Amino acid sequence: MTQTEYKTAVEQLKKYAYHYYVLDDPITTDEEYDILYHHVVAYESANANEIIPDSPTQRVGDQPQDKFDKANHLSRMWSLEDLFNKEELDKWVERITKVYGDVKFYSEPKFDGASLNLIYDEGRLVQAITRGDGTLGEDVTQNAKTIQSIPLTIDYKGRIEIRGEVVIFKEDFEKINEERLKSGESLFANPRNAAAGSLRQLDTRITASRRLVFMPYGIGANSLEIGNLSERMAWVYGLGFRNPHMTHICVSADEIETFYHEMRIARDDFAMLLDGMVIKVDSIAVQDELGYTVKNPRWAAAYKFPAIEKLTRLKEVILQVGRSGVVTPVAIVEPVDIEGVTVERSTLHNFDEIERKDLRIGDKVIILRSGDVIPKIVKVITADRNGSEIEIQRPHNCPVCNSELLDEGALIKCQNLDCEARVVNSIIYFASKPCLNIDGLGDKIVLALHEAGLIRELIDLFGLTLEQLLSLEGFKEKKSQNLLDAIQAARGCECWRFINALGIEHIGEVASKTLCSAFGTAFDTAQREDILALEGFGVEMVESVLEFVRVNGLKINTLREALSPVEPVKRVAVENPFKDKTVVVTGAMSVPRDTIKAMLEELGAKVASSVSKKSDFVIYGEDAGSKYDKAVELGIALLTESEFRQLTSLPDSGTPAQSSSIKPKNSLFD
Ligand code: IVH
């Protein structure tokens, strides 16, 4: 790569990232991005003195810090006066209009996260400071650089402060908590805490993994000559920051009120939490004249949305038994209205989480609900206890079938395969979207069919008749026929749906697809070592498949006959050294290992996760460990990444093909 090519590649990467992280409109694939990124890394490691400061490689942090330094904002970061209803809004607007006459108000969402001040000078991000007390905050520059929606450089040379809110998408918040639940860590109460906590991580790599997003809302110290806030913000978005999209100029309290209601309706559709709308006088000259009170600007206010966190009381804990037998505690609380929805129950995840929170029956609790954030108890108010609260006991018997439960700590399981809850939930799961996607076969109908004794196990679905359905309450001719048709339509389903629908523990959609492409519909005849060799399959998953097949062999056969799932179509790769070969990738690569794996699959290779006699190649990187040793021991052909790329004529980082110090027994280079 020449220097000019390097510069073009960096520009291209920045463009890709801008489309992905700022415009939410990707223009390339992850793989394409990774390949180009790898070229840039290679060039930079050979030409360290030529590194462009805003190259995407420069976002990645170095060693963990031991503390954050304090840092001063160039100008104060204010907070906002809160307005809660139309009356307060009317008063606030009037206070301004009675002096200044017709004033325009710029209105935008109020994002619920952690505020951050970015200082740019000479076009570069020089410092990122948390709000702190408004004057003095903490320097989190290294962490801010990992946030992809914060430009490292801007096309403006003056010194300027760009302010905004660091948020976490609701979806990412749920994912982080799921991970934390699995690893036994305490859960984040809400996305705001998750964002604030992630921004203040001493280890930059943790911040980088949290997918934080920066939403700009204002400008601090500056020497701009743009006279209106709306134009200033348009200019900020043009510098490469995210645009919140829902902004509007209103000219009266009534217009503000109308826009506020529109935004409230749109609230759940935003990827991040909003806690209100912010109204700001548009004219900078009027803003300056209005000035500030001790705490707030007089030219801006937060028109708050109804809270999504409410105080209530825990009435009882009920137990739900899932299809895999896992018993999940569910909190029943005194009903509270949260944004028009009555919340009466919330998940408690598991008994370890109950113990961590020290939750007791009768406790006052704060509950959170917002659109796609599942209702959850975020805080227990232990200070308000009066001694009548009752500790929650771990159950010993299944609440549905009464059989003895297996207590594994975080998970408590009912092991009775015939437990009604397990059967009904398995059927519901079987019919659900990521499985056979049978229209009209939801929770209520499955339960009704089961209670009427029409379905005792999955296969019974295929024997249902019109007469049987018509005998049920609420089933007219059309509804019954539609259901029968929908069940019939599941015949000839994709092979992975059939596997997924069986509900094998630890085997979800991705693993079902892997099993399907490796073994087809006869996945149940696969051998232990072949399953273990599959990408992403650990011992627990393999044992789960084998155990399921052992216990349910007959059931799999009958369902397979009833469904006739189609075999996956194998794509035919062009002739190449890796076609139909089993390859293991180990150690650090110049691009994420998944990229190399995707390339191999494209070439028609089977990517395995462990080395065995059946392996044909092991591609290894810098810190390869035991898999490398095993390959040497078994005499499997070893390739460096560079050698692999040469063999497939893929552009590489420029390392000579013969750089490998070890010559495998059956090396391609002998
Ligand atoms: S303006 C002088 N606009 O809310 C203006 N703040 O309660 C001061 N926030 O500290 C802030 N979205 O962290 C403004 N669109 C928005 C905002 C916003 C979220 C946060 C910000 C501020 C707090 C004030």
Side-chain angles (χ1 to χ4, degrees):
M1 190 186 256
T2 65
Q3 191 183 28
T4 321
E5 281 167 347
Y6 164 66
K7 285 184 180 160
T8 318
V10 167
E11 281 315 305
Q12 190 66 19
L13 284 179
K14 279 168 60 185
K15 188 169 155 189
Y16 287 157
Y18 173 68
H19 275 263
Y20 190 93
Y21 294 106
V22 177
L23 302 181
D24 280 334
D25 183 21
I27 52 168
T28 187
T29 59
D30 291 359
E31 186 186 352
E32 197 74 19
Y33 183 90
D34 288 342
I35 293 173
L36 194 59
Y37 190 92
H38 149 77
H39 285 306
V40 165
V41 171
Y43 185 87
E44 289 176 347
S45 51
N47 307 279
N49 54 339
E50 287 174 27
I51 297 179
I52 301 173
D54 65 341
S55 160
T57 60
Q58 304 304 299
R59 289 191 181 273
V60 189
D62 34 25
Q63 289 306 305
Q65 292 169 255
D66 48 13
K67 66 171 182 41
F68 293 115
D69 292 331
K70 295 275 180 220
N72 278 298
H73 299 293
L74 302 180
S75 68
R76 181 163 162 187
M77 285 186 87
W78 297 89
S79 51
L80 292 169
E81 176 183 348
D82 288 333
L83 308 174
F84 292 99
N85 51 48
K86 178 75 185 346
E87 218 184 312
E88 291 179 3
L89 171 71
D90 283 339
K91 270 201 207 133
W92 185 81
V93 169
E94 207 200 306
R95 217 167 55 202
I96 295 169
T97 48
K98 75 170 185 243
V99 182
Y100 295 95
D102 289 344
V103 170
K104 288 185 179 143
F105 297 94
Y106 185 68
S107 309
E108 62 186 357
K110 183 171 191 299
F111 298 107
D112 202 4
S115 42
L116 185 65
N117 184 26
L118 306 175
I119 305 179
Y120 287 87
D121 200 4
E122 299 282 333
R124 283 198 199 170
L125 173 66
V126 290
Q127 212 171 24
I129 314 171
T130 60
R131 183 177 184 283
D133 64 5
T135 309
L136 189 69
E138 282 178 322
D139 184 322
V140 290
T141 314
Q142 285 310 321
N143 287 348
K145 281 186 177 173
T146 69
I147 303 176
Q148 299 276 358
S149 42
I150 294 181
L152 298 179
T153 55
I154 55 173
D155 191 13
Y156 174 71
K157 295 279 172 268
R159 192 157 74 141
I160 189 165
E161 290 182 303
I162 308 280
R163 279 146 186 200
E165 198 81 350
V166 172
V167 298
I168 216 158
F169 286 171
K170 290 178 266 189
E171 181 186 277
D172 289 323
F173 160 72
E174 296 287 0
K175 278 193 209 143
I176 293 173
N177 266 356
E178 260 170 49
E179 293 289 316
R180 292 174 77 88
L181 196 64
K182 272 192 208 152
S183 58
E185 290 169 89
S186 64
L187 305 183
F188 283 120
N190 51 40
R192 178 184 52 244
N193 288 10
S198 305
L199 185 62
R200 292 190 67 265
Q201 280 291 332
L202 290 166
D203 187 346
T204 306
R205 286 164 297 188
I206 300 182
T207 312
S209 72
R210 294 281 169 80
R211 298 169 63 93
L212 298 174
V213 174
F214 181 79
M215 300 302 302
Y217 61 65
I219 299 171
N222 71 87
S223 43
L224 296 175
E225 280 170 9
I226 310 171
N228 289 323
L229 178 65
S230 49
E231 287 166 35
R232 285 186 171 196
M233 290 315 291
W235 176 79
V236 168
Y237 307 142
L239 291 176
F241 290 90
R242 283 181 76 103
N243 182 335
H245 292 300
M246 202 164 183
T247 64
H248 191 57
I249 291 181
C250 307
V251 295
S252 66
D254 286 349
E255 261 190 45
I256 295 173
E257 183 72 9
T258 308
F259 189 53
Y260 169 82
H261 283 287
E262 280 172 29
M263 204 180 284
R264 248 186 81 177
I265 291 167
R267 183 181 192 182
D268 280 354
D269 298 332
F270 276 81
M272 65 291 274
L273 285 189
L274 306 190
D275 61 344
M277 183 170 101
V278 183
I279 323 152
K280 296 167 183 168
V281 170
D282 197 39
S283 154
I284 305 293
V286 176
Q287 284 186 5
D288 289 345
E289 287 198 37
L290 279 162
Y292 300 82
T293 69
V294 269
K295 279 204 321 220
N296 309 315
R298 289 197 190 88
W299 47 266
Y303 193 1
K304 301 286 286 226
F305 288 152
I308 50 166
E309 286 181 344
K310 285 271 176 81
L311 206 57
T312 180
R313 199 176 288 278
L314 178 67
K315 290 203 302 192
E316 63 167 319
V317 172
I318 58 161
L319 303 172
Q320 277 181 349
V321 184
R323 65 188 161 82
S324 60
V326 172
V327 179
T328 309
V330 176
I332 305 295
V333 297
E334 283 173 6
V336 267
D337 176 70
I338 306 187
E339 271 284 67
V341 176
T342 308
V343 178
E344 292 178 271
R345 44 170 67 203
S346 108
T347 171
L348 288 171
H349 304 288
N350 60 39
F351 277 86
D352 282 2
E353 182 64 15
I354 293 180
E355 282 155 25
R356 224 175 346 239
K357 285 199 165 91
D358 184 24
L359 179 65
R360 300 182 195 175
I361 311 276
D363 267 339
K364 246 194 210 175
V365 293
I366 296 176
I367 200 162
L368 160 89
R369 183 213 159 261
S370 158
D372 28 4
V373 176
I374 304 156
K376 48 175 63 77
I377 290 178
V378 300
K379 199 170 166 53
V380 183
I381 317 285
T382 46
D384 281 0
R385 284 185 179 155
N386 61 14
S388 68
E389 295 75 16
I390 305 163
E391 276 188 39
I392 300 160
Q393 303 297 332
R394 298 175 83 93
H396 301 293
N397 292 83
C398 173
V400 178
C401 70
N402 204 37
S403 61
E404 200 181 325
L405 295 173
L406 174 71
D407 193 334
E408 295 179 338
L411 294 187
I412 300 182
K413 289 181 185 164
C414 169
Q415 291 181 293
N416 173 14
L417 287 174
D418 298 322
C419 172
E420 186 185 1
R422 294 190 63 172
V423 174
V424 169
N425 285 320
S426 307
I427 301 173
I428 293 170
Y429 178 73
F430 184 80
S432 69
K433 270 218 166 70
C435 297
L436 292 175
N437 196 12
I438 302 177
D439 237 9
L441 199 54
D443 308 13
K444 291 203 181 83
I445 300 204
V446 172
L447 202 59
L449 293 173
H450 188 265
E451 274 175 2
L454 296 182
I455 43 172
R456 303 226 158 271
E457 50 181 334
L458 286 173
I459 192 69
D460 297 341
L461 281 174
F462 299 93
L464 285 173
T465 64
L466 193 60
E467 291 69 46
Q468 286 178 326
L469 292 183
L470 287 173
S471 71
L472 296 176
E473 203 187 309
F475 275 77
K476 299 257 161 53
E477 178 97 21
K478 186 149 187 281
K479 180 173 170 181
S480 309
Q481 193 54 53
N482 283 349
L483 181 56
L484 290 180
D485 291 347
I487 294 170
Q488 291 311 314
R491 286 179 197 270
C493 64
E494 291 153 288
C495 155
W496 70 266
R497 286 187 180 275
F498 157 65
I499 301 177
N500 200 27
L502 295 170
I504 308 171
E505 204 181 351
H506 306 303
I507 304 297
E509 194 173 319
V510 176
S512 298
K513 284 180 179 164
T514 311
L515 280 171
C516 163
S517 54
F519 311 115
T521 57
F523 80 98
D524 50 333
T525 56
Q527 299 299 304
R528 174 180 266 106
E529 61 171 8
D530 292 333
I531 311 179
L532 193 57
L534 291 180
E535 174 54 24
F537 274 64
V539 176
E540 205 182 12
M541 290 165 79
V542 178
E543 292 310 323
S544 173
V545 173
L546 294 171
E547 171 71 3
F548 188 91
V549 169
R550 194 179 63 77
V551 179
N552 299 291
L554 280 175
K555 188 167 146 191
I556 298 173
N557 274 338
T558 38
L559 283 172
R560 188 168 30 219
E561 269 167 37
L563 280 169
S564 320
V566 289
E567 293 294 341
V569 215
K570 286 225 176 340
R571 272 199 296 160
V572 191
V574 289
E575 281 311 317
N576 70 74
F578 300 96
K579 190 174 172 185
D580 298 327
K581 298 286 192 259
T582 301
V583 186
V584 176
V585 186
T586 179
M589 299 283 133
S590 63
V591 290
R593 270 207 298 279
D594 281 346
T595 309
I596 304 275
K597 288 173 185 165
M599 291 174 183
L600 281 163
E601 273 158 13
E602 194 73 12
L603 293 165
K606 206 163 87 184
V607 184
S609 59
S610 59
V611 181
S612 73
K613 292 194 296 287
K614 289 196 179 170
S615 314
D616 295 296
F617 296 101
V618 171
I619 302 174
Y620 68 97
E622 279 282 296
D623 50 359
S626 62
K627 291 183 193 174
Y628 177 91
D629 298 340
K630 182 120 189 244
V632 173
E633 187 190 316
L634 296 175
I636 311 293
L638 282 152
L639 297 173
T640 61
E641 179 187 344
S642 178
E643 287 165 348
F644 158 63
R645 286 177 184 274
Q646 287 229 337
L647 280 171
T648 57
S649 350
L650 289 167
D652 80 340
S653 58
T655 339
Q658 301 281 359
S659 68
S660 164
S661 53
I662 293 142
K663 288 276 174 225
K665 203 171 73 186
N666 50 349
S667 167
L668 283 146
F669 297 97
D670 282 342

